[in-house]
Amino acid sequence: FPVAPEKEKEDMQFAKKYLENFYDFKEEKTLFKAKDLNQMSDKIREMQSFFGLEVTGELNHKTLDMMKQPRCGIPDIRS
Amino acid sequence: YSTFPHSPTWKKEDVTYRILNYTPDMLQADVEEAIARAFQLWSSVTPLRFTRVYSGQADIMISFAAGFHGDFYSFDGPGGTLAHAYPPGNGIGGDAHFDEDENWTKFTTYSGYNLFLVAAHELGHSLGLSHSNVFGALMYPIYMATDTRDYQLHQDDIDGIQALYGPPKESPALPTKAFPPQEPTEMIPAEAPTEMSPREEPTEITPSKPPQRPDDCDPHLTFDAITTLRGETLFFKDSYVWRKSPYFSEIEHDTIFSFWPSLIAGFDAAYEVDNKDRVLFFKDDQYWAVSGYSIQSGFPKPIQNLGFPTSVRKIDAAVHDQNTKRTYFFVGKQYWSFNENTQSMERGYPRKIAADFRGIGHPVDAALQKNGYFYFFHGSNQYEVDIKKKKLIRIMKSNSWFNC
């Protein structure tokens, strides 16, 4: 659905925490924002692939919705 | 399935467990039964035997806690993470923690999480399984509200645990007691272990097949419910939803599950209160509120909360009038008017539909307000009504919105 604008930032934060918890995403405080976003896209791809979603690397609504489902606290992918 | 790095397992067949505390959401006996049944699920397909102990250190220590609880993985309040458990090992190894901020239940309900289901998943971790990406497997990371009365492990779960421990020897071992229990607890009357029958060829477990997907342009197409949502229009039938968006030309056709996995399909009615970014779904004598994909907490609620008499057990259709801030509920040949500002049913209702909506002399399946008109759906027809002028404008096929 169209996302109520103020939620977009909130969703991005939520997704970052989800990927840190379950997909071993480490947000490096780099000066290069693009690099950081690429890393996050890679992790989104891993998560989309695990759940059989369309692998786009983008935080679309189906991906975000899957992230919001009640779940187990153990990571899906670990280093 | 998957295992943890280096595939840690218990190097013995007799594994002990201890329940350290209880959730106030359930009877203690129900907690004990749920845990025992969860262990029995795994012992029935492996050589493992689980013994409950009542003091001292056990291999698997089971506890309920909220927020920070002494390990590095704090819980997160209601929803989100429900529980976690550690792979086999010393100390915290094998332990299972359940988030006390969740509502734990004995049965599968809307208003909580089934402890047996979550415990069975977490004990899979305590035995060395990690997550499975097979939808329908117990070790799938996301909680799936499932009927647990005759719960069976998915073949993927069995393959995974038997890769770690092998198959059971002669008969499934049941959890036993080590010491005379301080408090007498009834041993779970389990059916006498039957000889493990060679499993039939595993059938792929798939969610129950939704009814045949209806054709968008079937001239006999009818709808269960229709609502707007953030400028789009959603048409519901059985377990399907059509999405008509002002932003895209084609009609999207999805399952309701793909938007709200925990809502049961087959809505009776739906409407949006647009200035609250809120859509209400009705099924039988209950209703839910969602904001986008999120189901608001505290739902479902009984429709009597809105002011319906107990004689009303379900509603046929609902539509919110953005001009008057009234919501009209249709039941049989009558309708009610609900004031969204005062959150109360208006006096003088119910009234006959035909008295106020010209040309609508029959029950309404679904209702919609769009472009200043009201649309009342009855079977495969819809009636466009100008309620200001109390005039029936035209009658069309119900799916005329799909550019057929």
Side-chain angles (χ1 to χ4, degrees), chain B residues 11 60 96 220 274 300 331 392 396:
Chain B
K11 307 305 183 208
I60 296 172
H220 305 295
D274 63 315
V331 180
L392 174 62
M396 302 171 283

Side-chain angles (χ1 to χ4, degrees), chain B residues 152-217:
Chain B
Q152 305 281 322
L153 283 174
H154 190 285
Q155 189 58 42
D156 182 72
D157 301 310
I158 294 171
D159 294 348
I161 202 70
Q162 291 190 348
L164 293 174
Y165 297 99
K169 291 198 167 68
E170 58 291 333
S171 69
L174 296 174
T176 59
K177 291 201 182 312
F179 308 110
Q182 286 133 352
E183 66 281 2
T185 51
E186 196 48 39
M187 187 61 198
I188 313 304
E191 299 78 55
T194 51
E195 194 53 36
M196 286 296 291
S197 61
R199 291 179 68 84
E200 304 80 50
E201 189 50 37
T203 50
E204 185 49 41
I205 292 186
T206 54
S208 55
K209 282 257 178 297
Q212 188 57 37
R213 172 173 162 157
D215 165 29
D216 301 7
C217 292

